[in-house]
Amino acid sequence: MLLTTALVLFFALLLIGVPIYLVLSGLAVMVWLVEGDPLVALGQQYANHLNSYTLVAIPLFVIAATFMQRGGVARALIDMASAWVGRTRGALGIVCILATALFAAISGSSVATALAIGAVLIPAMKERGYPISFATGTIGAGGTLGILIPPSLAMLIYGIIVDESVPRLFLAGVIPGLMQAALLMTYVRYYAVRHDLPVEDPIDRGQFLRANLNALPALLVPIIILGGIYSGLVTISEAAGLSAVVALVVSLLFYREIRLRDVLPILADGVRQTGVIIFIVLAALTFAHWLTGAGVTRALVGFIDRMDLNAWQFLIAANLIMFVLGMFLEVISVILIFVPLIVPVLLQLGIDPIHFGVILVVNMEIALLTPPVGLNLFVLKSVADTGIDKVIRGVAPYIGLMLVLLVFLTFVPAASTWLPDLVFGAR
């Protein structure tokens, strides 16, 4: 009875617009009180979840992304990408995908990637006569790479929940991320030729060299993060701290688009974003702990047994569920609500958590582009100052391409697991 009441309240509160962190924390307190457990035990649960070195990486990656978003890094990456592909028809579209892929390797956030790149490229694309729907759709789809290409906050949170190696998860996103970037660029090229988009003016060798040299400080961040992690010199949390420091130095000393007086407000903004994320994580983990204790996961495993589903059938069903959830909930909420319930099922069916992590993140990429809650849609609507209908029309072809990629990754686990197994050894 309590379980039914909790689930009904959960969906009812979400439907009337109550923030997810209030829903989860409120339900956690309610079930604790109804079952007669002292609230001090709830506080102990929070303390246990906070006692995680990996969790420390979340605020540091968020702060690094905030510095990168405001510190001139996006413009440097765009200039470098443009120097390489500027003579191609529809070059600004290809530059968009390249720049978002590079920025994704720095920020770990899809929304930050779409906002930073969109703020620079959308005005330029409008000026050169690109259709606004194409411009916003390309940046929206490219921005989703922020949670697939490492470092990825979504992968980090998933790794905490399933107690999986975060370095393995980061590596698992590399090949699918490159495949997605190639797929998006292929469509951009096709659209550019079909609609006769403009070719940019050529640049001389001096301009080419300056654009590449100017981007080197920005490229230090992924080199330090990933190089430090995979060389074994630093842990995930230490790499996150280094990335925040390097992001500050690069933004302050090299690109100089922020000043010392801007540092504290940017830090405050990063801390606010982190506070929301951490609060959602704690509330969701506590609620999931209660669901497990209430027997929901055991019931789900039993249901899968009775249905006699094999691994592929379960993955298809999971994809459909995640697609629907992603239309109504934001990324972190879906991960924190859905994943704890199905972890025992993954183990029972022999599904590699690394493989499932990539499937989950690609689903969340699609969720960022699907109405009514797709965050990238609203970010681009604001940046482009256009109607949401044009943004949705622009992302529609890319959603189709990403669904094709999702099907491929679902049925070809090696695309996700080959690189981690190569670096760390097969399990």
Side-chain angles (χ1 to χ4, degrees):
M1 180 62 183
L2 179 57
L3 174 61
T4 304
T5 303
L7 293 176
V8 169
L9 278 174
F10 174 78
F11 289 108
L13 291 171
L14 285 179
L15 285 173
I16 64 174
V18 178
I20 184 68
Y21 72 92
L22 289 178
V23 174
L24 290 171
S25 56
L27 287 176
V29 171
M30 183 196 79
V31 297
W32 230 261
L33 291 174
V34 170
E35 293 197 338
D37 295 323
L39 282 181
V40 67
L42 180 60
Q44 185 61 51
Q45 279 290 326
Y46 281 159
N48 291 340
H49 292 315
L50 281 171
N51 187 24
S52 165
Y53 285 112
T54 307
L55 199 62
V56 173
I58 292 177
L60 296 171
F61 276 132
V62 170
I63 289 169
T66 307
F67 279 123
M68 287 294 182
Q69 179 185 325
R70 302 187 187 180
V73 172
R75 188 174 296 278
L77 295 176
I78 288 168
D79 288 345
M80 184 184 77
S82 184
W84 283 93
V85 299
R87 295 182 185 180
T88 307
R89 184 167 299 282
L92 289 182
I94 297 175
V95 166
C96 167
I97 304 301
L98 289 174
T100 51
L102 291 169
F103 198 88
I106 294 171
S107 71
S109 164
S110 174
V111 173
T113 301
L115 185 58
I117 302 299
V120 178
L121 270 182
I122 286 178
M125 294 173 87
K126 288 168 71 174
E127 183 181 338
R128 296 289 286 139
Y130 285 68
I132 191 63
S133 59
F134 173 76
T136 53
T138 304
I139 291 171
T144 63
L145 290 166
I147 59 170
L148 183 58
I149 292 178
S152 160
L153 282 178
M155 289 284 198
L156 178 59
I157 293 170
Y158 172 79
I160 292 170
I161 295 172
V162 300
D163 195 25
E164 185 56 78
S165 165
V166 174
R168 272 185 175 269
L169 285 167
F170 280 0
L171 274 184
V174 171
I175 291 176
L178 294 176
M179 290 173 63
Q180 181 180 325
L183 201 59
L184 299 182
M185 284 192 287
T186 301
Y187 174 76
V188 168
R189 176 64 179 162
Y190 161 78
Y191 184 96
V193 172
R194 183 178 178 185
H195 294 271
D196 198 28
L197 295 183
V199 178
E200 301 304 306
D201 296 329
I203 61 173
D204 59 38
R205 181 170 295 183
Q207 292 172 309
F208 178 84
L209 290 174
R210 280 194 298 274
N212 283 275
L213 289 173
N214 192 46
L216 287 180
L219 297 176
L220 278 176
V221 179
I223 291 171
I224 288 172
I225 295 173
L226 302 178
I229 291 171
Y230 296 115
S231 66
L233 295 175
V234 296
T235 64
I236 291 289
S237 300
E238 291 164 347
L242 280 173
S243 72
V245 172
V246 174
L248 172 60
V249 171
V250 165
S251 302
L252 201 60
L253 301 182
F254 285 93
Y255 299 121
R256 300 180 181 178
E257 292 201 14
I258 61 172
R259 294 181 170 80
L260 277 174
R261 66 173 178 267
D262 301 319
V263 172
L264 284 179
I266 291 174
L267 282 172
D269 186 39
V271 169
R272 277 194 298 271
Q273 295 178 53
T274 300
V276 173
I277 294 172
I278 295 294
F279 204 80
I280 293 173
V281 170
L282 289 177
L285 288 176
T286 304
F287 188 57
H289 177 82
W290 175 79
L291 287 174
T292 302
V296 176
T297 51
R298 289 194 301 274
L300 184 59
V301 171
F303 175 74
I304 297 296
D305 269 341
R306 289 191 298 274
M307 293 290 290
D308 196 26
L309 295 180
N310 62 34
W312 305 118
Q313 291 168 329
F314 172 77
L315 288 176
I316 292 170
N319 277 325
L320 292 173
I321 293 169
M322 287 187 286
F323 183 81
V324 173
L325 288 175
M327 294 176 68
F328 301 100
L329 297 173
E330 48 88 29
V331 170
I332 293 175
S333 302
V334 176
I335 295 173
L336 293 171
I337 293 166
F338 184 65
V339 171
L341 292 176
I342 53 90
V343 168
V345 179
L346 298 180
L347 299 176
Q348 176 176 306
L349 295 177
I351 298 170
D352 191 333
I354 299 291
H355 175 215
F356 187 80
V358 172
I359 293 172
L360 169 72
V361 170
V362 175
N363 268 288
M364 295 305 96
E365 288 186 294
I366 296 169
L368 287 162
L369 301 177
T370 50
V373 184
L375 286 181
N376 280 14
L377 300 178
F378 296 98
V379 167
L380 292 166
K381 174 186 180 296
S382 175
V383 171
D385 191 23
T386 188
I388 193 72
D389 58 318
K390 292 182 180 178
V391 182
I392 293 172
R393 190 161 61 247
V395 301
Y398 294 105
I399 291 175
L401 292 172
M402 291 165 71
L403 286 171
V404 171
L405 176 66
L406 176 62
V407 171
F408 175 81
L409 294 173
T410 299
F411 290 101
V412 186
S416 306
T417 59
W418 176 78
L419 189 57
D421 287 348
L422 178 67
V423 174
F424 294 107
R427 297 190 296 184

